[in-house]
Amino acid sequence: MVLKRTFVLGRLLILALIIVLLLVPEWPAFQDERFKIGTILGQRYFDFLTWGVQAIATKSEAQLTSGDRYLNDEQQKDFVLDYLNQLENVRRLEAQINGIFADPELDDPAHEASDLQQEVDVLRADLSMKQQIAESILQNQISSVLNEEGFNVLGYTWPPVLFQMTPLPLVLIVSPREEIKQIYNIPLDHGLSTSIREDIESGIYEAADLSALVAPIGGLGFYPAMIVETNDINFLSNTIAHEWAHHWLTLKPLGINIFSNNELLTINETAASIVGNEIGRKVLERYYPEFIPADEPESGEEEDDGSDPLRFDFNKEMRTTRIKVDELLAEGRVENAEAYMEERRLFFWENGHRLRKLNQAFFAFYGSYADEPGEQGDDPIGPTILAIREGSSSLFEFLDRLSSVTSIDDLNEIAAGIGTS
């Protein structure tokens, strides 16, 4: 009798297990798109807690030592430029090493690259000792410019300018297929290969019927700001100021509501881009004037007036693409829009712009930076913000005006007020 009951119980357990396996995928929680995305991502999320603790500890140590305070202005400039030049050399050597390991004709790439790797290790160790001083100098230089622009409390820039050059997380952008809109923005581990990125994107498309893009970023408004490793002083000063603008807006209505909808995200990013461009330029003018990009064509070089049909205009072509995609999606022709975007991706590729993917998520991400024409198509947010900047007497007044915005109506009201004043 006991054996029979055990046998029956075993059969019931097996039957229950089969039912669970069949029904679990149909449970509402498992049908949720966020759950599906999480399943596809697995453990590939970026660990902000660990990074943040290490960064704060490093910055605290740098504040205590203050190695830069013993250098005058010229010595500080030389220190930063020497650091960036050494970084450029390291990155060049690392590119050579990557090329060696990618060469299919080499039987022992580790041996072939060993001397270069030793050189890189020595240079990297030296850079790690110099990094905090170089970053402290740049923080102080940018703070000085921000102070003069009115971004200070009792004579000190607030919040303090803090950043660290570091491998950045990748970001997963997810958009509906039927419209261009960010519905998820998820930081991922920085070391994901291209094949893994493709697997994530295609997996989300197939499992959740959503458009996805895993993209690199140049900076992240975490605190301290995370800035991609670069030897470009122009990009560096611009990006540090851009991320600081996000820090300044954090406790303002615009910053608090940054992810409430795509319009507010675009307003945030566009405002930060304008701050980054202006502050970055002023930092160069004061401390690194020889690196100011030329606004005018070199002597003897003709300015592009758009009359050369052979000259490829990326922004113009991208804007044309976005407008057509918006039209197709508005008509409900999703598959046609996706086919068109792939055609245009190949067109951009043939003209030297190596886009890995061009889809709804691409436009949802890059279109949020509306201070330059292109990915945002006919979106009026960019021109409206630029008009507000033009009508503001200072950069502080401009950002202060925008800081209270919580809707498109607020933005338009500010613009209208400037136009009638």
Side-chain angles (χ1 to χ4, degrees), residues 32-262:
D32 179 73
E33 61 187 22
R34 188 63 180 84
F35 175 83
K36 293 178 180 178
I37 292 171
T39 301
I40 292 167
L41 294 178
Q43 301 300 313
R44 297 190 177 107
Y45 297 95
F46 187 81
D47 185 356
F48 280 105
L49 178 60
T50 300
W51 187 91
V53 170
Q54 293 174 344
I56 290 295
T58 301
K59 288 299 175 185
S60 299
E61 181 181 354
Q63 289 294 321
L64 291 174
T65 56
S66 300
D68 57 297
R69 67 184 175 185
Y70 302 106
L71 306 175
N72 61 37
D73 288 349
E74 192 63 30
Q75 290 171 328
Q76 289 185 4
K77 172 184 175 179
D78 290 341
F79 190 96
V80 170
L81 293 180
D82 287 344
Y83 174 83
L84 296 179
N85 286 334
Q86 184 172 332
L87 178 58
E88 179 182 19
N89 186 35
V90 169
R91 288 163 63 85
R92 178 180 55 79
L93 293 174
E94 289 175 337
Q96 291 181 29
I97 293 172
N98 291 337
I100 291 172
F101 277 89
D103 190 341
E105 297 183 1
L106 294 178
D107 296 328
D108 190 358
H111 176 73
E112 293 289 337
S114 60
D115 289 343
L116 286 176
Q117 187 60 59
Q118 289 179 13
E119 185 176 357
V120 165
D121 291 343
V122 171
L123 291 174
R124 277 288 180 190
D126 187 48
L127 281 174
S128 67
M129 293 188 291
K130 297 177 179 177
Q131 180 174 349
Q132 290 307 317
I133 295 178
E135 290 178 353
S136 293
I137 293 170
L138 284 166
Q139 288 167 180
N140 291 334
Q141 291 171 342
I142 292 171
S143 292
S144 177
V145 174
L146 286 168
N147 262 338
E148 293 185 0
E149 291 294 317
F151 295 99
N152 67 79
V153 176
L154 300 177
Y156 294 93
T157 303
W158 187 263
V161 179
L162 285 182
F163 81 97
Q164 185 167 21
M165 281 199 285
T166 181
L168 287 180
L170 297 166
V171 61
L172 169 64
I173 304 298
V174 181
S175 167
R177 293 177 61 206
E178 297 78 16
E179 62 177 317
I180 292 170
K181 180 175 71 173
Q182 278 195 43
I183 55 175
Y184 297 112
N185 183 314
I186 304 171
L188 305 179
D189 283 340
H190 65 268
L192 302 182
S193 66
T194 302
S195 62
I196 291 177
R197 299 183 207 182
E198 290 279 349
D199 288 344
I200 290 172
E201 293 161 354
S202 60
I204 292 173
Y205 181 91
E206 294 166 4
D209 194 31
L210 296 169
S211 174
L213 177 73
V214 179
I217 54 177
L220 189 63
F222 197 66
Y223 198 74
M226 305 172 72
I227 308 296
V228 67
E229 188 177 67
T230 178
N231 58 283
D232 185 342
I233 186 63
N234 190 357
F235 174 87
L236 195 54
S237 57
N238 184 312
T239 306
I240 296 167
H242 176 115
E243 300 306 335
W244 179 87
H246 285 306
H247 296 158
W248 190 87
L249 287 168
T250 296
L251 298 181
K252 308 291 195 301
L254 180 59
I256 293 171
N257 295 287
I258 182 171
F259 295 117
S260 296
N261 55 58
N262 282 268

Side-chain angles (χ1 to χ4, degrees), residues 293-351:
D295 290 331
E296 301 295 334
E298 297 292 333
S299 178
E301 180 183 336
E302 294 185 4
E303 185 175 359
D304 178 23
D305 59 2
S307 61
D308 183 358
L310 299 179
R311 187 186 294 270
F312 185 81
D313 188 331
F314 176 84
N315 285 336
K316 178 182 176 182
E317 295 296 341
M318 186 58 75
R319 183 173 183 273
T320 298
T321 305
R322 172 65 190 266
I323 291 172
K324 180 65 174 179
V325 170
D326 283 340
E327 291 174 356
L328 291 170
L329 292 178
E331 296 168 1
R333 300 163 62 188
V334 177
E335 290 78 9
N336 297 87
E338 291 172 342
Y340 172 71
M341 283 187 281
E342 179 58 18
E343 290 175 7
R344 295 292 286 180
R345 186 187 73 82
L346 297 176
F347 170 68
F348 284 111
W349 185 280
E350 291 166 357
N351 283 277

